[in-house]
Amino acid sequence: MIQSFKSIFIKPLFKSPTIKLAISSVFFNRPSFNSTRSFGSTGAYNSSMNVTSQIDWNTKFKSINEIEVEAQYDGPKFDDMKITKEFVEEMIEHFKKKKKIHEKYAYQIILTVRKMMLETPTLVDITIPQNSKLTVCGDIHGQFYDFINIFKINGVPSETNMYLFNGDFINRGSFGFEVILALFAYKWLYPKSFYLTRGNHEHITLAKNYGFENEVNTKYSKTMFEYFAETFETLPLANLINKKILVVHGGLSNSDITLDDIKNIYRFKSYVQADSLMEYLLWSDPKEKPGCDIGKRGGIGIGFGPDITENFLKRNNLDLLIRSHEVKKEGYEIEHNGKCITIFSAPDYCGVCGNKGAIINIAPDLKLTYKTFEAVGVRNLIL
């Protein structure tokens, strides 16, 4: 989420050679570990990937598994590439004390989730079982202590206490590493009840410009940041709840898109093409008046009106759009005749906004319940 996009982002953005390629609509002339892959209609990774890339990542797995954990290390551990609930809980307690886990376990979590995401479609179908609830959370932005407070007020993740975190996990706050590693660990632990959506900040350019790169380089290494950056490219762009509620980070397109259009997005790349559906899903914002306007973030994304939302939902037989991407005073806002909901879960964003955070509980019958919360006493230092 960026409040004043034009003044703080537009210049560094267009210094990036990858963005220049996107603006000129040059798709596949740049070497990338993803550029030679083939993808099916779901947007998931296909086994016909480039052999060199496959060997490279298999080698990385092997080399990480061979890292020795020093005898004096007193943090959480797991064996045989099997993460446990106890490990995740101990890791979070370790982070609360501002301690680090061993790099071996951090790398294993990142690489395992990357492998999982390569097999995940761009549009993920989520079904809420009868004995469960799903909680949708908005932007976190490295505010670790507010992040773990969500579990205090709403329960820790489990097979029945399901979660969907809707992007912008990193940047701005000083604890993006702790947030994203906890999210990845829970995704590994509960693959069928814990879900992640990519936000606009899960991008190498924004991660470099808004704190995450420096944070990871300082806490661990440049190599670990590169692993994160490549894993961000694999995150899905949308989630569909019980076939009726679409969840994306940003918003909608200015064209008559369908769910199949979202499913078919080629997401495994380090840049976002200008004026593409992927850009709109990550960057767009709702507006009060009908129609579409140039986006308020320096021209990236669009502003979409209530008619755009209504037509999209009717065309795809949906009831509701949930998105994040914007600070809201009460942590959430209901717009577009009740058809578009913004959820934002970083209270007192950047330590200056004074906003509440919010989450949405969704029952199997799709009844929505909102919970709001204030920032915790521990300061989330802003980079």
Side-chain angles (χ1 to χ4, degrees):
M1 182 275 161
I2 299 175
Q3 267 197 315
S4 181
F5 174 87
K6 193 167 186 177
S7 60
I8 61 178
F9 178 69
I10 196 72
K11 290 183 180 179
L13 173 68
F14 285 97
K15 289 180 181 178
S16 166
T18 58
I19 299 299
K20 290 178 180 177
L21 284 175
I23 297 302
S24 62
S25 299
V26 178
F27 267 91
F28 304 112
N29 63 348
R30 189 177 67 85
S32 166
F33 83 99
N34 284 318
S35 63
T36 56
R37 296 201 178 123
S38 299
F39 297 84
S41 61
T42 63
Y45 168 70
N46 187 290
S47 60
S48 60
M49 67 179 282
N50 177 271
V51 174
T52 303
S53 180
Q54 187 177 36
I55 293 172
D56 179 48
W57 280 95
N58 286 342
T59 301
K60 288 179 181 180
F61 257 115
K62 183 178 179 180
S63 62
I64 294 304
N65 291 338
E66 292 174 351
I67 293 176
E68 181 179 352
V69 178
E70 299 80 4
Q72 63 269 30
Y73 172 69
D74 64 351
K77 303 176 182 179
F78 60 82
D79 298 316
D80 302 321
M81 287 294 293
K82 293 181 180 179
I83 200 167
T84 64
K85 178 182 176 182
E86 291 72 24
F87 171 86
V88 179
E89 291 174 346
E90 289 177 25
M91 181 182 72
I92 289 175
E93 288 300 314
H94 215 61
F95 288 161
K96 286 167 67 175
K97 299 173 184 176
K98 297 184 174 66
K99 294 182 178 181
K100 299 194 302 181
I101 68 165
H102 197 279
E103 65 171 353
K104 177 176 182 176
Y105 304 119
Y107 277 122
Q108 287 177 330
I109 292 168
I110 297 167
L111 288 174
T112 299
V113 169
R114 179 183 178 276
K115 183 178 180 181
M116 293 170 65
M117 292 303 180
L118 284 171
E119 300 167 354
T120 299
T122 295
L123 174 62
V124 177
D125 278 299
I126 301 174
T127 299
I128 308 173
Q130 285 302 313
N131 64 337
S132 304
K133 72 174 180 181
L134 173 67
T135 300
V136 180
C137 305
D139 301 38
I140 301 296
H141 281 297
Q143 296 185 196
F144 176 72
Y145 295 95
D146 294 314
F147 162 68
I148 58 176
N149 187 46
I150 292 173
F151 300 147
K152 182 178 181 180
I153 65 177
N154 194 64
V156 296
S158 69
E159 284 90 351
T160 57
N161 194 28
M162 305 166 69
Y163 277 89
L164 166 55
F165 282 84
N166 196 31
D168 280 13
F169 319 123
I170 62 166
N171 288 339
R172 305 294 193 187
S174 293
F175 303 104
F177 173 86
E178 288 79 4
V179 169
I180 192 65
L181 206 70
L183 289 170
F184 281 3
Y186 272 124
K187 179 61 185 175
W188 185 1
L189 183 63
Y190 299 119
K192 296 182 179 180
S193 61
F194 197 90
Y195 299 91
L196 303 172
T197 315
R198 182 178 176 178
N200 60 302
H201 273 264
E202 281 72 57
H203 182 279
I204 189 169
T205 302
L206 275 79
K208 284 177 175 289
N209 284 322
Y210 293 103
F212 187 66
E213 179 186 36
N214 182 61
E215 177 191 350
V216 177
N217 289 354
T218 300
K219 292 176 179 178
Y220 286 90
S221 66
K222 180 179 178 181
T223 298
M224 186 170 288
F225 170 74
E226 292 171 350
Y227 279 38
F228 272 120
E230 294 192 355
T231 301
F232 290 157
E233 298 169 13
T234 68
L235 296 175
L237 302 177
N239 290 269
L240 183 61
I241 302 171
N242 285 16
K243 306 293 185 182
K244 287 297 182 180
I245 301 175
L246 181 70
V247 183
V248 300
H249 180 73
L252 299 177
S253 167
N254 55 4
S255 60
D256 294 335
I257 61 171
T258 65
L259 294 179
D260 282 340
D261 292 326
I262 297 175
K263 290 178 182 178
N264 292 331
I265 293 174
Y266 179 94
R267 76 182 193 269
F268 301 88
K269 52 191 177 183
S270 59
Y271 64 92
V272 179
Q273 185 198 14
D275 299 321
S276 65
L277 178 54
M278 183 172 175
E279 177 193 309
Y280 299 144
L281 296 177
L282 293 171
W283 283 96
S284 293
D285 299 290
K287 66 186 187 74
E288 293 182 6
K289 295 182 179 180
C292 293
D293 292 334
I294 295 175
K296 63 185 179 182
R297 303 165 188 267
I300 292 190
I302 61 166
F304 60 97
D307 56 324
I308 303 299
T309 299
E310 182 177 359
N311 291 336
F312 170 79
L313 295 177
K314 285 183 178 179
R315 187 182 315 115
N316 293 281
N317 194 28
L318 302 176
D319 293 340
L320 181 67
L321 172 70
I322 297 178
R323 42 91 61 183
S324 301
H325 196 45
E326 290 183 286
V327 175
K328 297 297 179 182
K329 183 178 179 181
E330 296 300 316
Y332 72 97
E333 185 173 359
I334 302 172
E335 302 175 83
H336 293 183
N337 302 312
K339 297 297 185 180
C340 177
I341 299 173
T342 297
I343 189 74
F344 193 85
S345 303
D348 194 24
Y349 178 54
C350 290
V352 297
C353 290
N355 61 289
K356 293 179 182 178
I359 56 178
I360 307 174
N361 292 150
I362 306 179
D365 63 0
L366 300 185
K367 180 182 178 180
L368 308 185
T369 305
Y370 301 89
K371 291 183 179 180
T372 62
F373 51 94
E374 304 284 352
V376 297
V378 179
R379 177 162 171 74
N380 293 278
L381 298 176
I382 303 300
L383 293 168

